[in-house]
Amino acid sequence: VRADLTKAAREEERAGLLAWPAGPLDRTIEAGQVTGYPALVDEGKSVALRVLDSAAEQAAAMLRGQAKLLSFGLAAPVPQIGRSLDLRSKLLLSTGPYADAAAVIEEAWLAAIEALIPRLGGPAWDEESFDAMRERLRADVYDETERAVHSVIAVLRALGEVTVDGSEAGEDVRVQLSWLIYPGFIRDTGVIQLQRLPLYLEAARRHLATKKAPADLAATQELEARFHEQTDGLSVWARLAPDVQHARWALEELRLSLFAQDLRTAFPVSVKRVTALLDAL
């Protein structure tokens, strides 16, 4: 069965794509009783057509891959947005895990395209729909990118308020920050969720200022360890599946409920609720 699926995948897969591959994409390919899921996959400087193992991986990969493929046919707003920023904002963007402000704007642009694809009825599965989506994107992508860049500025400003020390709380926050701010965090987080990150960072700042740990902190740390253990073997695409991402951000909302209750969580959370989310993964 594996040999049959590999043969079918080789007939389907292509690499080095800079434009839509010839013909429509198959939603699935069959090899005996095994189903493969073709998807456009972002491979950095180009896009590839790969056969993935699940529909969830396919859905996540298609958003990323299609966003990159669409970007090849759109004028990048990086120079224009860069000129609109003041010097302080540009310097702030350079303090994060990216090389410079231009790198931040470019990733925010890709994240913006990724966010717009579902709003425009995507992802596309044929060239005609893909071309139509690219034309419709032109009207909104600049504004969406600009909002994303300002969200990143707010994130990095909040990060600057978090001073990690050598205490037990400091070590806990250091781990938390490594999950939140890292190379690639803009696209991984997404333009909507980026707006929540300053709240999580404010909760981290208050954690460092708190002399006594909340009663549920140990339980929250155990849930975080369990989440990372459960997802450690997943592919990058499976980790971006909606149920996995919901559980991941529920952990941050739980921390928000412990250290900054006045900021309000995005949805109801508790140790019991988050445990149920992990049980369901």
Side-chain angles (χ1 to χ4, degrees):
V1 168
R2 186 177 292 113
D4 288 345
L5 185 59
T6 300
K7 181 181 177 182
R10 282 175 180 164
E11 293 172 358
E12 190 90 8
E13 291 185 335
R14 275 156 276 176
L17 297 172
L18 300 176
W20 186 267
L25 301 185
D26 294 324
R27 302 292 183 108
T28 59
I29 60 170
E30 306 291 335
Q33 296 182 359
V34 177
T35 302
Y37 299 85
L40 295 169
V41 174
D42 184 350
E43 295 196 333
K45 295 185 178 180
S46 65
V47 172
L49 179 59
R50 304 290 183 202
V51 177
L52 305 181
D53 293 334
S54 69
E57 289 177 292
Q58 180 190 51
M62 278 293 282
L63 282 178
R64 284 279 179 100
Q66 202 149 113
K68 178 56 72 74
L69 202 61
L70 285 162
S71 75
F72 297 144
L74 295 168
V78 177
Q80 191 175 353
I81 291 178
R83 287 192 295 269
S84 73
L85 297 174
D86 59 37
L87 181 59
R88 181 174 295 181
S89 295
K90 291 179 185 177
L91 290 172
L92 185 61
L93 292 178
S94 300
T95 65
Y98 294 88
D100 50 31
V104 172
I105 299 168
E106 184 170 0
E107 181 151 322
W109 176 48
L110 291 170
I113 297 173
E114 206 170 310
L116 287 168
I117 288 172
R119 300 182 209 172
L120 298 176
W125 292 90
D126 60 70
E127 189 169 8
E128 183 180 357
S129 301
F130 178 81
D131 289 343
M133 183 183 300
R134 185 180 58 236
E135 294 311 306
R136 293 175 65 194
L137 269 170
R138 295 184 195 278
D140 299 322
V141 71
Y142 182 91
D143 290 344
E144 190 73 26
T145 303
E146 193 170 44
R147 281 192 291 270
V149 170
H150 284 284
S151 291
V152 177
I153 289 171
V155 169
L156 296 178
R157 188 175 292 123
L159 180 64
E161 298 295 320
V162 181
T163 304
V164 178
D165 55 28
S167 65
E168 187 175 339
E171 184 55 36
D172 180 63
V173 168
R174 185 178 289 107
V175 173
Q176 181 188 6
L177 295 182
S178 73
W179 297 339
L180 291 173
I181 313 295
Y182 53 87
F185 85 91
I186 297 171
R187 290 184 81 188
D188 284 355
T189 304
V191 298
I192 301 300
Q193 192 64 30
L194 270 174
Q195 298 169 28
R196 301 289 298 170
L197 259 60
L199 302 182
Y200 304 153
L201 293 168
E202 172 60 14
R205 187 192 68 77
R206 295 187 191 184
H207 181 185
L208 291 167
T210 301
K211 300 300 182 183
K212 186 177 179 182
D216 283 339
L217 178 59
T220 300
Q221 291 169 330
E222 289 175 11
L223 287 170
E224 289 169 341
R226 180 184 166 191
F227 172 80
H228 287 284
E229 184 178 342
Q230 283 184 236
T231 58
D232 184 53
L234 296 180
S235 71
V236 63
W237 311 119
R239 286 181 191 153
L240 291 172
D243 57 342
V244 178
Q245 286 296 296
H246 182 57
R248 185 262 176 279
W249 295 118
L251 290 164
E252 293 296 336
E253 296 291 337
L254 186 55
R255 280 183 170 268
L256 191 67
S257 73
L258 298 183
F259 296 104
Q261 293 180 355
D262 58 304
L263 298 181
R264 302 182 64 178
T265 59
F267 46 84
V269 287
S270 65
V271 169
K272 184 178 179 180
R273 287 175 187 269
V274 178
T275 299
L277 289 176
L278 298 189
D279 289 343
L281 283 183

